[in-house]
Amino acid sequence: MNNEEKYLHVFMSTFDIDEITAKSLEFQGIPAWDSVGHMGLVTALEDSFNIMLEPDDIVELSSFSKGKEILSKYNIVF
Amino acid sequence: MIDFSVKNIRIWSCLGSCGAFGQAVLSLPESDDSVIVITADLCSFSGLERFKNKYPDLFYNVGIAEQNMVGIAAGFAKEGFNPFISTYASFGSMRSAEQVKICMGYMNLPIKLVGLTSGFSVGILGATHMCLEDISLIRAMPNIVIISPADSTATIKATIAAAQLKSPVYLRLTGGMNCPVVYKEDFSFEIGKAIQLKSGSDIAIIATGSMVYHALKAADILEEQGISACVIDMHTIKPLDLDVIKKVCSLRLIVTVEEHSCIGGLGSAVSEALSMQINRPPLLIMGVNGSYPHAGDYEYLLKNAGLNFICIAERILKTFKEFFDE
């Protein structure tokens, strides 16, 4: 699984959504991505990519696309 | 039914004790249809968004009106409900002290008062939001059980246990988000029964709330210095587990650690228990001494008060040497 697939899988499995929904998803766009779901997403991303997100990055993780931008700071190449 | 999986424990740790409380209370109506939740303008902060969305008829936000919240909860309790009420610990315990005394202490109504961010965790907001006196205040009131869980997992267990209790409870939540994990898996939690997390033969460190993690880390440092420390999670401050205190009287030193004033809290409770023991070791009470500090972030305030694990270990080591310089 490449990083793109891994990243997509994290969103799909964390929020139990399909690929199309995942790719356009924004924070609070679905009930599951609330403040609790956000922490679930953060821990899943950290586990999948073996990283520790900085607090500012956790706050700024506001959409599927923004998340990719943030992960690139951790040398994750998409 | 709550799943104590490694993944969930990690998420609860990220959420901190407030978010963990919200997760625990979300599960309660499944088994207890008398549970209702009231907050004083801290819905999201109490981790209650999901509860509000799932059970809108069981959720009330009274606004910034903590005293009124206690009174409303008392009315619900009189009608047979099992009310959980949440707000900042300082406002729940101190601003509402008279209502807590009358409705919970005197009337003995089974209200579960959840004091969020007790201690220093929102100390960045200044002394108004630091809560270092709540145990002292509420401990003096009859009937009220006081619980201070060590981490997010323990907060889940304590919330469930409190719901089953037919007496008033003050649930004192400490620590911020990303709080360290003490309990890595499901465990047995019984109100009034302390948990020994580490055994030791020289001293006993009895800690409560956020200080349990720091006590464990301090014990590791002391071990390297040749001092064997047992660590006890005194999650219930009232009623105090007297049996465990009697057991540690055979050791050379007892230390209590709390994110609370040195006066009136865990240290005082242990001191009162020890006063009736004929053979007892010295007691070192570690907590907050002196005046209120300026606003600052959590880690800074803990260090400033001498309550991070490094400071705790240094103070114990110094005290141990003073008593037993060998």
Side-chain angles (χ1 to χ4, degrees):
Chain A
M1 203 184 283
N2 63 30
N3 284 341
E4 182 78 40
E5 291 166 337
K6 208 194 282 185
Y7 182 74
L8 179 63
H9 178 74
V10 167
F11 271 76
M12 290 169 64
S13 59
T14 300
F15 297 130
D16 195 20
I17 51 176
D18 60 33
E19 183 177 339
I20 296 167
T21 309
K23 285 182 171 174
S24 61
L25 196 60
E26 295 188 345
F27 178 58
Q28 295 189 328
I30 54 171
W33 195 357
D34 59 3
S35 56
V36 176
H38 191 69
M39 286 307 176
L41 175 66
V42 167
T43 55
L45 287 170
E46 288 181 342
D47 289 345
S48 293
F49 291 99
N50 197 24
I51 54 172
M52 283 292 286
L53 291 171
E54 294 294 327
D56 286 351
D57 292 330
I58 292 173
V59 173
E60 284 178 20
L61 176 52
S62 55
S63 69
F64 181 87
S65 54
K66 184 70 181 175
K68 285 169 80 171
E69 203 180 296
I70 289 167
L71 259 58
S72 65
K73 290 200 283 185
Y74 296 81
N75 299 322
I76 310 294
V77 180
F78 291 98
Chain B
M1 193 68 177
I2 290 185
D3 175 14
F4 286 82
S5 64
V6 173
K7 182 184 162 195
N8 280 347
I9 287 171
R10 177 120 186 271
I11 292 171
W12 299 334
S13 159
C14 288
L15 289 167
S17 58
C18 300
F21 159 69
Q23 290 298 285
V25 89
L26 184 63
S27 71
L28 296 178
E30 292 166 15
S31 56
D32 181 355
D33 61 9
S34 68
V35 166
I36 59 153
V37 176
I38 310 172
T39 188
D41 215 33
L42 290 179
C43 174
S44 300
F45 199 78
S46 308
L48 293 170
E49 267 179 25
R50 288 189 177 185
F51 189 94
K52 180 188 77 174
N53 294 334
K54 189 172 181 184
Y55 302 109
D57 295 338
L58 303 180
F59 179 80
Y60 300 85
N61 185 346
V62 300
I64 306 172
E66 293 84 3
Q67 295 154 313
N68 197 25
M69 175 173 70
V70 179
I72 290 168
F76 272 113
K78 284 291 279 182
E79 293 298 316
F81 286 91
N82 189 6
F84 277 75
I85 58 177
S86 74
T87 184
Y88 286 119
S90 50
F91 306 149
S93 65
M94 303 192 72
R95 182 178 294 166
S96 312
E98 186 182 2
Q99 284 74 18
V100 171
K101 169 189 162 184
I102 298 302
C103 301
M104 296 170 69
Y106 171 61
M107 296 176 76
N108 199 15
L109 294 169
I111 298 165
K112 313 310 182 310
L113 170 59
V114 183
L116 309 170
T117 65
S118 196
F120 284 130
S121 65
V122 288
I124 196 73
L125 300 174
T128 51
H129 286 65
M130 295 173 193
C131 190
L132 307 168
E133 317 85 349
D134 49 345
I135 300 174
S136 178
L137 196 63
I138 294 179
R139 203 167 68 86
M141 300 176 188
N143 296 319
I144 306 174
V145 170
I146 303 175
I147 308 172
S148 181
D151 68 358
S152 294
T153 313
T155 299
I156 301 258
K157 301 291 283 192
T159 304
I160 295 167
Q164 291 163 354
L165 219 55
K166 300 294 179 202
S167 54
V169 175
Y170 177 55
L171 185 57
R172 181 183 203 251
L173 302 185
T174 49
M177 292 177 78
N178 288 315
C179 75
V181 177
V182 172
Y183 294 99
K184 297 183 172 74
E185 56 191 26
D186 196 2
F187 66 102
S188 174
F189 182 95
E190 189 180 343
I191 290 172
K193 292 287 174 201
I195 298 170
Q196 183 170 326
L197 296 168
K198 181 182 176 303
S199 56
S201 55
D202 292 321
I203 70 168
I205 309 177
I206 302 173
T208 194
S210 59
M211 289 296 107
V212 174
Y213 168 79
H214 288 276
L216 283 165
K217 296 276 283 182
D220 290 342
I221 296 172
L222 292 169
E223 204 82 48
E224 291 166 9
Q225 301 292 323
I227 297 173
S228 171
C230 85
V231 177
I232 292 160
D233 173 8
M234 190 66 83
H235 52 70
T236 308
I237 296 158
K238 186 180 174 186
L240 201 66
D241 187 344
L242 299 177
D243 291 340
V244 83
I245 291 169
K246 283 177 191 164
K247 278 182 195 162
V248 297
C249 278
S250 60
L251 301 180
R252 303 172 79 185
L253 176 70
I254 297 176
V255 181
T256 59
V257 195
E258 59 198 302
E259 198 180 324
H260 183 273
S261 166
C262 285
I263 298 170
L266 172 68
S268 296
V270 172
S271 172
E272 289 157 17
L274 286 173
S275 68
M276 286 304 288
Q277 299 298 311
I278 293 169
N279 297 309
R280 57 178 188 264
L283 170 66
L284 169 64
I285 297 175
M286 295 191 70
V288 182
N289 251 326
S291 60
Y292 294 100
H294 287 294
D297 70 33
Y298 187 43
E299 299 306 322
Y300 164 79
L301 289 168
L302 284 185
K303 188 180 177 190
N304 188 52
L307 290 175
N308 66 19
F309 61 85
I310 295 169
C311 301
I312 292 168
E314 284 172 352
R315 175 96 186 272
I316 293 173
L317 193 60
K318 184 170 176 278
T319 306
F320 192 84
K321 283 181 176 167
E322 282 170 4
F323 274 109
F324 312 108
D325 201 6
E326 293 161 348

